[in-house]
Amino acid sequence: MLVTGASSGIGEATTARLAAMGHRVVMVSRDRTRGERARDRIQRAHGNASIDLLVADLSTTGAIRALADEYTSKFDRLDVLINNAAVMTSTRRATPEGFEQQFFVNHLAYFLLTGLLLERLRSSQPARIVSVSSTAHSRGVIDFNDLQMEQHYRGYDAYANTKLMNILFTYELARRLEGSGLTANCLHPGVIRTGLMRGVSPVLHALWQSMGKFFKQPSEGAETPVYLATSPEVEGVSGKYFRYCREFGTNRESYDRDMQLRLWEESERLSGFRYSF
């Protein structure tokens, strides 16, 4: 099982839960030191945990392609891919390739990494693709004339848009995977005390920290991704959105087939990668 954004927060907790269940987990961390520390924490807690670490900064297409190449060269199967890595920023920031950072890391990286690993998933079927979204998607608005918010940028709105994109991507992917032995689902993990807000302004970060006592712990945030990755109850279930290990509906825009298809086509164009089914 491959988990991105696994060196802290929900990703680390998800890795720990899966490893404790006896699964072999490959964790992806942006930073080697942080990744090694997280792996050590998990292995101290679960002495016989089988965990591998891959290091990749998922903010460029080159790094994502290198990650996929490294994974396929080292591992001959992939039963579950958990797209979890995400960022949130108050101000508009660009990746080295000029993409808006939240758009790239929170959406386009999911799209590209899944596509690059699709053949490995297909050869391991039945296999599952799990993408972490958020209830923030309900505020998302997709404007294809300003997809990366170059004209009017607001950090939380950009984040909400990417969480809606996760759902649009999941619904379209699930439709294309019908009958393949692969499933694709997405989820809201809950309002969790994580380091996601470290990229926002100091004022917002301080507010987030002060409210943290009311939020759930990462271990609770891991419950739904672990459920979707492992539970026999969702075997064969695809194209759904879950909260608290239960299926929920999503906002009206997310069911727009034309929007799903258009985002897919734009994602292929921007990532330079075309899926093959």
Side-chain angles (χ1 to χ4, degrees):
M1 300 187 177
L2 180 64
V3 182
T4 67
S7 62
S8 64
I10 296 168
E12 180 181 348
T14 298
T15 299
R17 290 277 294 275
L18 293 171
M21 296 167 71
H23 298 289
R24 184 176 186 182
V25 186
V26 181
M27 56 189 299
V28 179
S29 173
R30 180 176 54 185
D31 178 84
R32 181 171 296 280
T33 299
R34 291 183 63 202
E36 289 175 345
R37 288 173 178 167
R39 182 181 59 187
D40 291 346
R41 285 193 294 269
I42 297 168
Q43 289 181 325
R44 283 196 299 270
H46 309 285
N48 60 346
S50 179
I51 303 173
D52 295 271
L53 172 65
L54 298 180
V55 178
D57 182 350
L58 303 181
S59 63
T60 68
T61 57
I64 295 168
R65 288 179 179 275
L67 171 62
D69 287 344
E70 185 177 8
Y71 184 90
T72 54
S73 69
K74 291 182 175 180
F75 307 99
D76 61 3
R77 64 180 301 111
L78 178 56
D79 299 289
V80 179
L81 168 62
I82 301 180
N83 292 306
N84 168 74
V87 296
M88 183 186 289
T89 63
S90 292
T91 57
R92 193 179 191 280
R93 301 177 185 175
T95 69
E97 295 166 301
F99 295 103
E100 192 275 315
Q101 188 180 45
Q102 293 195 78
F103 169 78
F104 188 91
V105 176
N106 298 359
H107 163 64
L108 207 60
Y110 284 26
F111 181 90
L112 179 56
L113 183 61
T114 301
L116 291 168
L117 292 174
L118 195 61
E119 197 56 45
R120 185 62 85 234
L121 286 157
R122 187 181 285 120
S123 67
S124 308
Q125 62 177 293
R128 305 181 185 191
I129 300 160
V130 178
S131 296
V132 177
S133 179
S134 169
T135 54
H137 83 271
S138 61
R139 286 190 52 177
V141 177
I142 308 300
D143 179 359
F144 287 101
N145 294 316
D146 191 21
L147 194 59
Q148 299 184 56
M149 300 187 74
E150 295 178 85
Q151 299 172 25
H152 304 288
Y153 188 85
R154 293 184 62 183
Y156 185 77
D157 290 345
Y159 178 78
N161 291 353
T162 64
K163 297 294 99 181
L164 175 57
M165 291 176 195
N166 295 156
I167 297 171
L168 292 164
F169 165 56
T170 296
Y171 289 172
E172 180 67 22
L173 177 62
R175 187 160 39 250
R176 294 174 183 235
L177 291 175
E178 286 180 6
S180 70
L182 276 64
T183 61
N185 292 294
C186 54
L187 67 108
H188 169 61
V191 181
I192 309 299
R193 187 171 187 173
T194 70
L196 177 66
M197 297 287 283
R198 58 179 170 263
V200 303
S201 69
V203 173
L204 285 177
H205 186 263
L207 179 61
W208 176 265
Q209 291 293 96
S210 68
M211 295 174 61
K213 61 184 178 181
F214 301 108
F215 301 156
K216 294 183 177 181
Q217 294 300 312
S219 59
E220 296 174 280
E223 289 177 0
T224 304
V226 169
Y227 172 78
L228 290 175
T230 64
S231 176
E233 294 179 2
V234 290
E235 184 175 352
V237 174
S238 191
K240 305 298 181 182
Y241 170 85
F242 287 77
R243 295 168 55 191
Y244 315 118
C245 301
R246 291 189 295 147
E247 183 183 332
F248 277 76
T250 49
N251 76 355
R252 181 181 301 177
E253 195 169 22
S254 67
Y255 297 108
D256 186 323
R257 293 282 297 273
D258 291 337
M259 184 166 291
Q260 293 167 13
L261 178 59
R262 187 170 180 186
L263 179 64
W264 186 279
E265 292 173 343
E266 278 295 291
S267 299
E268 286 193 328
R269 183 182 69 82
L270 291 168
S271 67
F273 179 82
R274 184 172 296 277
Y275 276 62
S276 177
F277 293 93

